[in-house]
Amino acid sequence: MALSELYTKYNRVWIPDAEHVWKSAEILKDYTSGSNYLEVQLEDGTELKYALDTANGQLPPLRNPDILVGENDLTALSYLHEPAVLHNLKVRFVESRIIYTYCGIILVAINPYKQLPLYGDAIIHAYSGQNMGDMDPHIFAVAEEAYKQMARKNKNQSIIVSGESGAGKTVSARYTMRYFATVSKSGSKAHVEDKVLASNPITEAIGNAKTTRNDNSSRFGKYTEISFDKSYQIIGANMRTYLLEKSRVVFQSENERNYHIFYQLCSSVDDPEFKNLRLLTADKFVYTSMGGRTDIDSVDDKADMMETRRTFSLLGLKEDFQIDVFRVLAGILHLGNIEIRAAGTEKSSISSSDYHLGVFCELLDVSAEDVSRWLCQRRIVLVAETVVKPVPQKRAINARDALAKHIYAHLFDYIIHKINTVLQFPGKQHTFIGVLDIYGFETFEVNSFEQFCINYANEKLQQQFNLHVFKLEQEEYMKEDIPWTLIDFYDNQPVIDLIEAKMGILDLLDEECLFPQGTDQNWLQKLYNNYLDKNALFEKPRMSNQAFLIQHFADKVEYQCKGFLEKNRDILPEELVEIMRVSKFHLLSDFFQEEELGLTLNRGIKVRPARPSVKPANKQLRTTVGNKFRSSLYLLMETLNATTPHYVRCIKPNDEKLPFEYDSKRVVQQLRACGVLETIHISAQSYPSRWTYIEFYSRYSILMSQAELGLNDKKQTCKTVLQRLIQDSNQYKFGRTKIFFRAGQVAYLEKLRSDRLRGACITIQKHVRGWSQHRKFLQMRAAAIIIQQYVRGSRTIRQTVTAENLKRAWAAVVIQRYVRGHLVRQVYQLVKVATVTIQSHTRGWLARKRFRQMVADHKAVVLQKYARAWLARRRFQNIRRLVLNVQLSYRVQQLKKKLEEQSRENHGLLERLTAMSNARVQDMDKLQKLEAELSKLANEKISLEQQQKMNKESTDQVIIQLQAQNNMFAREKEELEQKLADSVQQIKDSTEELKSRFQEELEREGRQRKIVENNIAIQKKDHEKEIEALNVESRKLREENVSFQKQIEEQGEVTQDLQEQVLKLTKHVKIIPELRKEINTLKTQKDHLDRKLREQQREAGEKITEVTKQLLGDINDTEILSRLASDDIQQISEDGDLLFAYEGLKKATRAIETHYQTQRENFEREVQSLKFQIEHIQNENSQLQKLFQEENDVNDAIRQEVARLTTENMLIPQFKQQVSELQRQKHELEVQIAEQACAMEVKMEEVSNNLHSSRQEESAQRRLLEMQKAEHAKEKEELERRLEEKEEETLQLKKQNQMESEAKNRLRQEVSRLVTDNMEFEEQLDVKDRLIKKLENQIKSLLASEIASQTPAPAIPKEYLGMLEYRKEDESQLIQNIILGLKPRGVVVNMIPGLIAHILFMCIRHADYINDEGKIKSLMRAIIDSIKKVVKTHQEDFDMLSFWLSNTYQMLNCLKQYSGEEDFMKYNTPRQNKNCLQNFDLSEYRQIISDVAIHIYHQFVTIMEKALMPLIVPGMLEHESLQGISSMKPTGFRKRSTSIYEDTEACTISSILQQLSHFHSTMMQHGMDIGLIKQAVKQQFFLVGAASLNGILLRKDMCSCRKGMQIRCNISYLEEWLKEKDLQSSSAIDTMEPLSQAAWLLQVNKSTDEDAQQIAKMCTELSPVQIVKILNSYTPIDDFEKRVSPSFVRKVQSLLQDRVGSGAGSAQLMLDTQYRYQVIFPFVPSPQALELIQVPSSLKLNFLTRI
């Protein structure tokens, strides 16, 4: 269909407008070919005739249908042109408050000038792993696409962020880097990603400044390479900068500021660490106050300074480096305040007393004289001489400013170099992602060299962008097998050649810079000569000879040539360079070295430039700014060409920085400049609209006929429909997976669809209105007929009604009544008779039938009674026989075990008794030694305290004496000074001679005095050491004496105790003969019982044979008689086979009559009692024999103990001899100590005399040296040193005292421990005594039971105790079989729930029952460790985690249920309470197992979430299960890579329900508690609700009324699933309330105030931010739906303000899908009885024994 045919009535077009750029208008009359105008009506109702350009045949652009307005991707629009793009961005930004929009491969980001909740970690995780077109446009989506392509294709990526100043480039680049740092967290401890992010505040501080357009404008370009390793984790980064705006350091326009770092530094003027920088406030420095205001609203420079310093430290840049940087910055500020005065017209000067000059030179460590000289003078080097010439004030100021700019530029590069050094990585770079934050196209009223370079860079980037878009379009066509046709697009290569080609603008500029007398005007004239009228892209302004025009791709720009040469040269006088170079401040001197080291960029990829770079002609040319910029731009393009680029275009919506205000003029200017419209142009040239076959079929099935809908091949159906609807085949192309449409064709299809819907609506309205009118007509006709009937009837009645007729009618009625009554009575009588007859026969038949049934039932009951009685008796007899056999064998085993255990216990008790006695003796010895050491240390402490006291007193005395001497010396000094003043004239003559003599005497006396002092000190120290050694020896001897005395006393006590023990043992020995007598009596009784038993056996055999013969009578059963022969009776009785023989007799007597039954039963009872007596007597006999053996062993042990005690008593005389020897040695030592004390007293007297004499000599010597001041000072210092030594000695003494007190405390603790151990040993001895008494009582009870053994014992059934016994060495096999090697799917089918937990607990119970602490600890540790190991090994296996969560929870319940605590025991049965733990408290293990269960639960929930997460959004949001509801809309370029036509099964709500059912069935199969299942289901429902709501919030295409209906339907399916599984009480459906309210919000009306109030009232679970986001994102699917107006959104926001103020609503946009409800393990007692549990053979636990 031709495009002109779409200009019909009711369609809308765009017409140009001076204020709003474009205005919308509706066509009032169809357009006819050749018409000169178009009748349209504006939105304000104005009608006009829009004139058409008949020459070019251009019609105004058509407006897209409302359904396409507000799309995520501009390429999804049917009409692709400038007004459509502008309007779509306005609708999204102003009405929907959406700042991001796709335009093909470009992300358009409009600065909202407001903080939005779009950049939290939850948003980052939501976009991570998603395809780019699946969610709403976002900067994170672009970052994820770059990261994903890097990971998939192993190819480097680049993200190019461009835009005007204030458009948000820096923030976008920062968020991109933050995304990479979050999703690629490295596991190393270096935290490289944090360092990469930390570089942003530093670069912003030194490279950003406030401008009139932006408070944080980047004044340099930056390309950051983020390096990744093979696992795609950040390992480092590298930063490249471009074209720093150095002029800002020395000049700022009105309302602008210098770089942020200067103001941050000035805000810290009061910090003490910056005092030496002599800072002032920012308004007092020239370089920071040129723009007026020095602060920015809502910006705290001091806080930013702290953040800058923090990031410096985070990057590892130390404090010294920071101070050096701040020192240079402070120097620049002071340099700007240097006052240069004019000394005439050609001269200038600087005052030598200039404060700021001094500070500048001091900070940078340069000569103030040289700086002031060469700022005001210039050196000219001629051939024969060098001339120094003064310079005027203006030129001197320029030199000062040039110096400041160069210093700051070098500092900037140096800081970037240091940051790159920190961000370097040791490993090998695998790939990288580059983030380019560069200035966009700029055009101002006055454009200079900076704007020229910026626009040159944008020309290069635009060329690269055009080629990339062209390449992607070609790849798309080739992939879909569509013929490729050349697309005409703008190529800016001529502009680039004009700038950079040989003899281009840059070459001519560099050439002019070579000439010393070169000027801007000469260069401009060269440009005019070379390009004016020769190149269409270069023009000369009409009214100016100081500028030139260049036609860039975005706009025509006028450049002023003034300053081009100076800025391109960027030179600094050599004299100033030399001054900086010789500075002693190394950081500054390194800046100005002649051979500057280039900063090498560590890049891990070699790339080849797209074209060869221009080689400069000489060295000087390489130093120009233009040449440097061109080289760096070549390197940048080289890198970009080797990577896959991604584009972000930042747009500034208005110049006033107002939030969500849209200035169409400014926006369209930027759209033209940033290449967005060029992308639209390229797309519109070919087939811009692209639909998959599925999308087309779903959207336009309404245009298909029934025959077309009946086709099975949807692809062929789409082709057939399109060929029918659009006759021109050139307007569309069929690809492999998509249909490609020309511009306007989708709008045409939408028009056909809306026409079809409109026609259908009209038809429906026609029929409904016709039916309604027809219904009204029928009602009116019926009413008219009724009225007519009444009217006509009243007339007839008046004509026919008379008195006679009335009487006849009444008579007829009476006759009829009687006749009808008679007839009815006759019929009634007949029916009644028949009914009674039938009832009588029926009731009789039923009664007879019931009687026969009762008789049959009675007979059956009688038969059943006899049969059941016979069966019961038979069963009882069999059971009783088996029970008796089991009881007998069990009792025999139990008695044997008891005897063995008692013998082992007796032996063990004797061994422990002897070991404890030995240990007690050893402990007593140790205690005595410790007490001796304690007394010795106490004595040492006393002596040390005395010595300390004496030393303190002596030091105090010395100090007092020295102070007195010092005072005396001071007085004498004053007197001597007075005398000296009086006799100065007299002493002058003999001064030299006296000086020499006095000097020699002083030296000699000083040497003698030092020798005497050293000798005295050495002697004093020796004497003190000897005294201390003697004191120590004396104390040791005294302590040893005391310890020996104590040992003698203790030996006596020990001997006394041993004698008492011997007496006790002798008493026990006396009992032995009595025990032997008892044993002999027991033997005689045993023999007597054996004889009696044999007689009874013989008599029983005879009776059996007689009875058998009598019973058999004439029957000759030789087999039975031979079996019951008398010689086999003994064997039968001994083997316990008597019952078997009786059964044989019973079989033989079945034919005998019933009167013998009683006699047979009596005989059977007698035989059983005899058997029991025999067995019991035999067991008692063996038990007595074992007891006798044990008594013999005890007697032997007692004899050995008595012998040992006697040997120990023989050692007592030897101990007495040792004590006497020690006393003798003590006496000798005391004599020696007395002699040594006398000798020491004599020595001390000598030492004191020597000291006295030496002091006298010293005093005499000091009198001779009264005239010397220096000597007094030396003496005073010596005294102070001695005082310090004394104080140190006192401190050492205090430390020694402290150490002694600590040792004493340790000794006390050791003594108390030994005392407690001794008490424990005594308690153990008491326990053993009680045990011996208990054994004696058991012996007596056994003797008593022997006497009572004549009576038969009752039958005891075998009973299990609910315990499993295992050997210690089988523990590893138990853990291996039941935990490590267990496979849940193979064993749980036939198991009871929690069987593994019960088996383990039964093993724990046995360890507790035998009171084996080591065994129970080992088992518990092994269980916990093995469960942890299994969970760690199978952390991705849902079945394994479910199984062990169930069993761990059951184990926790068992430990609580059988813990013996009253809180848990009240839920148990009496039998279960008997199975409680007796000896150990396992509460601490309960806590550990609870922690393990919590860990398993969280891992278990994580596995479920991983399985559910991919199904939630497709099943809950994307799948459409409701018939007749489709929300399919056209998608843009971003969906092309993922919208592949495939026949794979899509995820539906059924997929989610199937997954949930699988989880539920697995948990139920493993016997998980229903409470735990409810918690897990609640957690999963929360995940479904949160993920679905997040999908709605982040996907504008999901915010529609139809989607709300689908979501509510899906929620009902989930609710039905809960009812089916009986999980309504889990409150799982409550977690989906936010999603339910969101679905309701999508469906409800959104237009009136009542609707707003209802939304605020009903949406209580949604935060205000979420409600506003959904309302702004609401998107109509059809033309019949209405958008939500901004005024309505503001109404809702005002109603929600109260909720925000009260804190009821969260400001968080996203729900946290990682949130976990706290898991609770409720106590649920197990009804399972432990004694009834049997271990399956499949577990291979044959080594376990049931107790």
mmCIF file of all heavy atoms in Angstrom, residues 131-152:
data_model
loop_
_atom_site.group_PDB
_atom_site.id
_atom_site.type_symbol
_atom_site.label_atom_id
_atom_site.label_comp_id
_atom_site.label_asym_id
_atom_site.label_seq_id
_atom_site.Cartn_x
_atom_site.Cartn_y
_atom_site.Cartn_z
ATOM 1 N N ASN A 131 18.176 -11.219 29.185
ATOM 2 C CA ASN A 131 18.394 -10.717 27.839
ATOM 3 C C ASN A 131 18.031 -9.241 27.785
ATOM 4 O O ASN A 131 17.188 -8.756 28.549
ATOM 5 C CB ASN A 131 17.557 -11.501 26.824
ATOM 6 C CG ASN A 131 18.065 -12.910 26.665
ATOM 7 O OD1 ASN A 131 19.272 -13.160 26.677
ATOM 8 N ND2 ASN A 131 17.149 -13.860 26.527
ATOM 9 N N MET A 132 18.624 -8.543 26.841
ATOM 10 C CA MET A 132 18.541 -7.090 26.865
ATOM 11 C C MET A 132 17.125 -6.590 26.630
ATOM 12 O O MET A 132 16.711 -5.591 27.201
ATOM 13 C CB MET A 132 19.478 -6.504 25.820
ATOM 14 C CG MET A 132 19.730 -5.026 26.012
ATOM 15 S SD MET A 132 21.181 -4.497 25.146
ATOM 16 C CE MET A 132 21.309 -2.812 25.692
ATOM 17 N N GLY A 133 16.337 -7.240 25.807
ATOM 18 C CA GLY A 133 14.995 -6.750 25.522
ATOM 19 C C GLY A 133 13.931 -7.316 26.411
ATOM 20 O O GLY A 133 12.757 -6.965 26.278
ATOM 21 N N ASP A 134 14.309 -8.200 27.355
ATOM 22 C CA ASP A 134 13.293 -8.824 28.200
ATOM 23 C C ASP A 134 12.757 -7.887 29.261
ATOM 24 O O ASP A 134 11.669 -8.101 29.786
ATOM 25 C CB ASP A 134 13.875 -10.073 28.880
ATOM 26 C CG ASP A 134 14.113 -11.196 27.885
ATOM 27 O OD1 ASP A 134 13.594 -11.079 26.759
ATOM 28 O OD2 ASP A 134 14.810 -12.161 28.218
ATOM 29 N N MET A 135 13.528 -6.884 29.641
ATOM 30 C CA MET A 135 13.118 -5.980 30.703
ATOM 31 C C MET A 135 13.181 -4.546 30.193
ATOM 32 O O MET A 135 13.655 -4.278 29.088
ATOM 33 C CB MET A 135 14.019 -6.164 31.926
ATOM 34 C CG MET A 135 14.046 -7.607 32.419
ATOM 35 S SD MET A 135 15.031 -7.862 33.899
ATOM 36 C CE MET A 135 13.921 -7.189 35.125
ATOM 37 N N ASP A 136 12.688 -3.634 31.026
ATOM 38 C CA ASP A 136 12.665 -2.233 30.617
ATOM 39 C C ASP A 136 14.083 -1.728 30.353
ATOM 40 O O ASP A 136 15.053 -2.213 30.946
ATOM 41 C CB ASP A 136 12.022 -1.389 31.722
ATOM 42 C CG ASP A 136 10.502 -1.510 31.696
ATOM 43 O OD1 ASP A 136 9.994 -2.141 30.761
ATOM 44 O OD2 ASP A 136 9.842 -0.986 32.607
ATOM 45 N N PRO A 137 14.219 -0.731 29.482
ATOM 46 C CA PRO A 137 15.565 -0.178 29.215
ATOM 47 C C PRO A 137 16.215 0.337 30.485
ATOM 48 O O PRO A 137 15.562 0.924 31.353
ATOM 49 C CB PRO A 137 15.275 0.958 28.230
ATOM 50 C CG PRO A 137 13.971 0.610 27.612
ATOM 51 C CD PRO A 137 13.183 -0.100 28.648
ATOM 52 N N HIS A 138 17.510 0.112 30.589
ATOM 53 C CA HIS A 138 18.246 0.532 31.787
ATOM 54 C C HIS A 138 19.732 0.530 31.447
ATOM 55 O O HIS A 138 20.188 -0.203 30.565
ATOM 56 C CB HIS A 138 17.962 -0.425 32.951
ATOM 57 C CG HIS A 138 18.211 0.167 34.300
ATOM 58 N ND1 HIS A 138 19.480 0.379 34.795
ATOM 59 C CD2 HIS A 138 17.356 0.595 35.263
ATOM 60 C CE1 HIS A 138 19.388 0.906 36.006
ATOM 61 N NE2 HIS A 138 18.110 1.054 36.313
ATOM 62 N N ILE A 139 20.480 1.340 32.160
ATOM 63 C CA ILE A 139 21.933 1.340 31.979
ATOM 64 C C ILE A 139 22.518 -0.003 32.392
ATOM 65 O O ILE A 139 23.517 -0.464 31.838
ATOM 66 C CB ILE A 139 22.562 2.505 32.780
ATOM 67 C CG1 ILE A 139 24.045 2.651 32.450
ATOM 68 C CG2 ILE A 139 22.338 2.321 34.270
ATOM 69 C CD1 ILE A 139 24.327 3.106 31.061
ATOM 70 N N PHE A 140 21.857 -0.661 33.353
ATOM 71 C CA PHE A 140 22.322 -1.975 33.766
ATOM 72 C C PHE A 140 22.105 -3.014 32.666
ATOM 73 O O PHE A 140 22.857 -3.990 32.577
ATOM 74 C CB PHE A 140 21.595 -2.422 35.038
ATOM 75 C CG PHE A 140 21.960 -1.612 36.253
ATOM 76 C CD1 PHE A 140 21.121 -1.575 37.362
ATOM 77 C CD2 PHE A 140 23.136 -0.881 36.305
ATOM 78 C CE1 PHE A 140 21.457 -0.835 38.490
ATOM 79 C CE2 PHE A 140 23.478 -0.141 37.411
ATOM 80 C CZ PHE A 140 22.634 -0.111 38.509
ATOM 81 N N ALA A 141 21.064 -2.839 31.864
ATOM 82 C CA ALA A 141 20.827 -3.773 30.762
ATOM 83 C C ALA A 141 21.949 -3.687 29.736
ATOM 84 O O ALA A 141 22.400 -4.700 29.195
ATOM 85 C CB ALA A 141 19.480 -3.482 30.118
ATOM 86 N N VAL A 142 22.405 -2.482 29.439
ATOM 87 C CA VAL A 142 23.535 -2.317 28.507
ATOM 88 C C VAL A 142 24.795 -2.944 29.087
ATOM 89 O O VAL A 142 25.549 -3.655 28.402
ATOM 90 C CB VAL A 142 23.755 -0.816 28.219
ATOM 91 C CG1 VAL A 142 24.973 -0.619 27.324
ATOM 92 C CG2 VAL A 142 22.527 -0.215 27.574
ATOM 93 N N ALA A 143 25.038 -2.708 30.392
ATOM 94 C CA ALA A 143 26.207 -3.303 31.031
ATOM 95 C C ALA A 143 26.121 -4.822 31.025
ATOM 96 O O ALA A 143 27.122 -5.507 30.784
ATOM 97 C CB ALA A 143 26.338 -2.773 32.459
ATOM 98 N N GLU A 144 24.931 -5.373 31.272
ATOM 99 C CA GLU A 144 24.768 -6.825 31.267
ATOM 100 C C GLU A 144 24.979 -7.389 29.869
ATOM 101 O O GLU A 144 25.580 -8.455 29.705
ATOM 102 C CB GLU A 144 23.370 -7.184 31.782
ATOM 103 C CG GLU A 144 22.979 -8.640 31.624
ATOM 104 C CD GLU A 144 23.876 -9.588 32.402
ATOM 105 O OE1 GLU A 144 24.527 -9.150 33.379
ATOM 106 O OE2 GLU A 144 23.945 -10.767 32.017
ATOM 107 N N GLU A 145 24.507 -6.681 28.855
ATOM 108 C CA GLU A 145 24.704 -7.149 27.481
ATOM 109 C C GLU A 145 26.190 -7.179 27.129
ATOM 110 O O GLU A 145 26.686 -8.141 26.521
ATOM 111 C CB GLU A 145 23.945 -6.230 26.522
ATOM 112 C CG GLU A 145 24.021 -6.632 25.060
ATOM 113 C CD GLU A 145 23.204 -7.881 24.762
ATOM 114 O OE1 GLU A 145 22.421 -8.316 25.636
ATOM 115 O OE2 GLU A 145 23.367 -8.418 23.653
ATOM 116 N N ALA A 146 26.919 -6.152 27.550
ATOM 117 C CA ALA A 146 28.361 -6.142 27.280
ATOM 118 C C ALA A 146 29.058 -7.267 28.023
ATOM 119 O O ALA A 146 29.921 -7.966 27.477
ATOM 120 C CB ALA A 146 28.946 -4.782 27.692
ATOM 121 N N TYR A 147 28.697 -7.461 29.270
ATOM 122 C CA TYR A 147 29.318 -8.517 30.074
ATOM 123 C C TYR A 147 28.991 -9.902 29.502
ATOM 124 O O TYR A 147 29.851 -10.784 29.437
ATOM 125 C CB TYR A 147 28.825 -8.395 31.514
ATOM 126 C CG TYR A 147 29.480 -9.347 32.478
ATOM 127 C CD1 TYR A 147 30.762 -9.116 32.963
ATOM 128 C CD2 TYR A 147 28.817 -10.490 32.909
ATOM 129 C CE1 TYR A 147 31.362 -9.994 33.842
ATOM 130 C CE2 TYR A 147 29.404 -11.371 33.788
ATOM 131 C CZ TYR A 147 30.682 -11.117 34.258
ATOM 132 O OH TYR A 147 31.283 -11.994 35.131
ATOM 133 N N LYS A 148 27.750 -10.075 29.057
ATOM 134 C CA LYS A 148 27.333 -11.376 28.529
ATOM 135 C C LYS A 148 28.037 -11.676 27.206
ATOM 136 O O LYS A 148 28.501 -12.801 26.992
ATOM 137 C CB LYS A 148 25.821 -11.378 28.357
ATOM 138 C CG LYS A 148 25.239 -12.731 28.025
ATOM 139 C CD LYS A 148 23.744 -12.617 27.771
ATOM 140 C CE LYS A 148 23.015 -12.125 28.976
ATOM 141 N NZ LYS A 148 21.565 -12.032 28.765
ATOM 142 N N GLN A 149 28.112 -10.686 26.336
ATOM 143 C CA GLN A 149 28.800 -10.917 25.060
ATOM 144 C C GLN A 149 30.282 -11.177 25.274
ATOM 145 O O GLN A 149 30.886 -11.989 24.561
ATOM 146 C CB GLN A 149 28.599 -9.706 24.146
ATOM 147 C CG GLN A 149 27.194 -9.584 23.605
ATOM 148 C CD GLN A 149 27.112 -8.608 22.451
ATOM 149 O OE1 GLN A 149 28.099 -8.316 21.796
ATOM 150 N NE2 GLN A 149 25.916 -8.097 22.193
ATOM 151 N N MET A 150 30.875 -10.503 26.240
ATOM 152 C CA MET A 150 32.284 -10.774 26.546
ATOM 153 C C MET A 150 32.459 -12.217 27.012
ATOM 154 O O MET A 150 33.406 -12.912 26.607
ATOM 155 C CB MET A 150 32.767 -9.812 27.629
ATOM 156 C CG MET A 150 34.206 -10.046 28.068
ATOM 157 S SD MET A 150 34.649 -9.133 29.559
ATOM 158 C CE MET A 150 33.648 -9.967 30.773
ATOM 159 N N ALA A 151 31.552 -12.687 27.856
ATOM 160 C CA ALA A 151 31.668 -14.039 28.386
ATOM 161 C C ALA A 151 31.366 -15.088 27.327
ATOM 162 O O ALA A 151 31.987 -16.154 27.312
ATOM 163 C CB ALA A 151 30.736 -14.204 29.590
ATOM 164 N N ARG A 152 30.408 -14.809 26.444
ATOM 165 C CA ARG A 152 30.007 -15.809 25.453
ATOM 166 C C ARG A 152 30.981 -15.883 24.278
ATOM 167 O O ARG A 152 31.341 -16.960 23.816
ATOM 168 C CB ARG A 152 28.606 -15.485 24.930
ATOM 169 C CG ARG A 152 27.485 -15.763 25.937
ATOM 170 C CD ARG A 152 26.132 -15.404 25.339
ATOM 171 N NE ARG A 152 25.046 -15.709 26.269
ATOM 172 C CZ ARG A 152 23.779 -15.413 26.040
ATOM 173 N NH1 ARG A 152 23.431 -14.819 24.898
ATOM 174 N NH2 ARG A 152 22.856 -15.708 26.921
#
